[in-house]
Structure formats: structure tokens, C-alpha cells
Amino acid sequence: MIAYYGCLWLVSLLNLAWCCFQAIYLFGFGFPLFIDSYDHPHHLKWGLWVVHRLVLTAVYGLILFMYQSKWRERLPARSAFYKYITIMFTLNALSLFACGLLGNGASFGFWLYGATIVCYLAFYLPLIYVTFLADFFQYDHHRCFYSLWHKRKICTWRMYITQR
């Protein structure tokens, strides 16, 4: 339990550091991070996004590689988790490729980067639900109804016997 909270704090602090780094990059040095205009292709902006996507792709790639190695037992045995890692690795690899294209001045990268961001934003929450939460919220109504009906039947039978 301590390791869980330790990892949670570590990830939270890394996320905070990433947000602070972006604010310093944006306001301190004056690089526009969120403007998608090809009139002024800020190569440093896309360099930052390349580093960001490179780290995410490396993490997902490492987890994907772990499924093929001897450390497989340390990962969840669910196939949904493997599919989640595969989808996220592919999406981040495409986004990394798009950022690399934009950093080198190719205008096709705008379309590819926009498409990967739209796919990420549209499918991330349903993917999280299917991977991690669907089993948790699954409720077997028929089994519960049968159990209640069976208990009612037994209670009715007992009442019938005691009344005689």
C-alpha cells in the first residue's frame, strides 16, 4: 500500500514538474506551444513536443516489450491491458512521427498531429473504461434476481409449513 501511494505521489510530482516546465517554456522564453500555424513554424516548439512524445512512446514501448520478455509475470494478465498498451503505443508513435515532420517543416504533420490528438481525446476515456473499469461495474442482474426469487420462494415455503 505504501508503494502504491509512493508511485501516486511520484507521478503527481512528475506531472506538476511537466506543467511548470511548459509554463516556463511558454512564458519565460516566449515560445508558442499551442499555436498551429504554418506561417511561423517554431522548430523549438515541435522539439519540445517531440521530446514529450518520445518519452511517452518509450514508456509504452517498454511495457509492450515486457510482454515479450521474462518479466511478463509482473504485468496484468488481462488481454484488455495488452490492447490498451498497444493502442497507446501506436497513437504516441504516430504523434511522435507527426511532431518530427512538423519540426522539419513538412506541412503534412499538422494533419497527422491533429488526427492523433482528436483520436486520443475521443477514445481515451472509453478505452480506460473498457480496460480497467468494465469488470468493476459489471453487475449480474439475472443472478441477483434469481437469488432473490429463490430466497422468496424458500421464505414462502417456510411460511406455508409453519401455518399448517
Side-chain angles (χ1 to χ4, degrees):
M1 191 65 150
I2 293 173
Y4 171 74
Y5 285 115
C7 289
L8 189 65
W9 273 100
L10 177 68
V11 168
S12 298
L13 291 174
L14 286 174
N15 196 13
L16 179 65
W18 173 248
C19 291
C20 291
F21 179 68
Q22 281 183 340
I24 290 170
Y25 202 73
L26 178 65
F27 297 117
F29 299 119
F31 295 113
L33 294 178
F34 306 107
I35 299 172
D36 290 334
S37 172
Y38 195 68
D39 297 336
H40 302 287
H42 299 279
H43 298 291
L44 292 175
K45 171 181 87 167
W46 294 110
L48 176 70
W49 288 116
V50 164
V51 169
H52 174 71
R53 294 297 174 179
L54 185 65
V55 169
L56 287 175
T57 305
V59 168
Y60 285 119
L62 179 67
I63 296 171
L64 196 61
F65 170 73
M66 285 178 68
Y67 268 102
Q68 312 303 329
S69 68
K70 63 182 178 181
W71 296 304
R72 184 180 190 147
E73 296 84 31
R74 296 178 187 260
L75 295 174
R78 298 176 42 183
S79 63
F81 184 74
Y82 181 73
K83 290 175 187 174
Y84 166 78
I85 294 297
T86 304
I87 290 169
M88 291 305 292
F89 174 76
T90 305
L91 197 61
N92 280 298
L94 281 173
S95 184
L96 173 65
F97 180 66
C99 289
L101 286 176
L102 283 167
N104 289 324
S107 61
F108 173 71
F110 277 125
W111 178 84
L112 185 60
Y113 185 75
T116 57
I117 294 302
V118 166
C119 288
Y120 176 80
L121 293 174
F123 298 120
Y124 185 70
L125 287 179
L127 185 63
I128 289 290
Y129 177 78
V130 167
T131 305
F132 299 108
L133 300 175
D135 292 338
F136 180 73
F137 289 118
Q138 186 177 14
Y139 190 73
D140 194 1
H141 295 288
H142 300 295
R143 182 182 224 173
C144 182
F145 179 74
Y146 176 75
S147 177
L148 290 174
W149 180 79
H150 186 65
K151 288 178 184 177
R152 182 174 172 222
K153 185 176 173 185
I154 291 173
C155 290
T156 308
W157 181 253
R158 286 183 185 161
M159 287 174 50
Y160 176 73
I161 292 174
T162 56
Q163 288 177 357
R164 285 189 147 197

